[in-house]
């Protein structure tokens, strides 16, 4: 076997496979963080996020309003409103060019900036 001559080809194929997988994962995460639809529930205390998922499916989750904080207001954001959900790693992005059916309700519920404390809640860690 002539391993020293095949070694660069093997490393090259491993690097390209890793790079392709990383790009696919980054693309999935970017799409999963863009909000397709934001629904304020009837109780007025929770909101449902509908985001894009793989293969045309939607990712839906509901969270209390106390755990959602807007990092910018609807009027001051250039292209997207970053929303931070407590307990999630990254921000969700709401496009400002989208349709806001009731902008005043959005501004007074989801569009508020809430200060999350840095204390760790050990009851949610399983």
């Amino acid at each position: 076997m002539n391993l020293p001559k095949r070694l660069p080809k093997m490393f090259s194929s491993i690097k390209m496979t890793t790079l392709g997988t990383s790009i696919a994962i980054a693309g999935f995460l970017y799409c999963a963080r863009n909000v397709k639809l934001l629904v304020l529930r009837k109780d007025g205390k929770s909101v449902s996020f509908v985001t894009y998922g793989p293969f045309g499916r939607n990712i839906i989750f509901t969270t209390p309003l106390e755990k959602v904080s807007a990092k910018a207001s609807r009027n001051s954001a250039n292209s997207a409103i970053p929303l931070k959900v407590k307990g999630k790693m990254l921000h969700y992005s709401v496009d400002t060019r989208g349709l806001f059916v009731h902008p005043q309700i959005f501004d007074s519920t989801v569009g508020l900036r809430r200060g999350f404390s840095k204390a760790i809640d050990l009851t949610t860690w399983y």
Side-chain angles (χ1 to χ4, degrees):
M1 232 172 117
N2 206 352
L3 188 63
K5 288 184 180 180
R6 296 180 64 185
L7 204 57
K9 286 183 181 180
M10 287 193 308
F11 280 133
S12 176
S13 64
I14 290 171
K15 285 194 306 189
M16 290 300 135
T17 303
T18 304
L19 179 67
T21 305
S22 300
I23 290 173
I25 290 171
F28 168 73
L29 288 177
Y30 179 75
C31 291
R33 294 297 172 167
N34 285 322
V35 177
K36 181 178 184 178
L37 188 65
L38 201 58
V39 180
L40 182 66
R41 291 294 172 188
K42 285 185 180 182
D43 62 358
K45 297 178 184 175
S46 60
V47 64
S48 292
F49 287 80
V50 180
T51 63
Y52 297 95
F55 309 113
R57 295 185 178 170
N58 295 328
I59 300 171
I60 303 169
F61 70 94
T62 303
T63 185
L65 276 175
E66 296 86 30
K67 293 187 175 189
V68 179
S69 176
K71 296 299 178 185
S73 69
R74 189 173 45 90
N75 298 326
S76 67
N78 291 336
S79 61
I81 303 168
L83 295 177
K84 176 66 180 154
V85 178
K86 190 174 183 177
K88 302 280 185 172
M89 274 178 74
L90 301 173
H91 290 78
Y92 288 89
S93 179
V94 177
D95 191 9
T96 57
R97 294 173 292 180
L99 175 66
F100 291 92
V101 180
H102 298 289
Q104 294 83 10
I105 294 176
F106 177 83
D107 291 339
S108 63
T109 55
V110 179
L112 292 178
R113 184 179 184 125
R114 294 174 178 88
F116 297 142
S117 65
K118 298 291 182 187
I120 298 173
D121 184 16
L122 296 177
T123 59
T124 60
W125 288 36
Y126 300 7

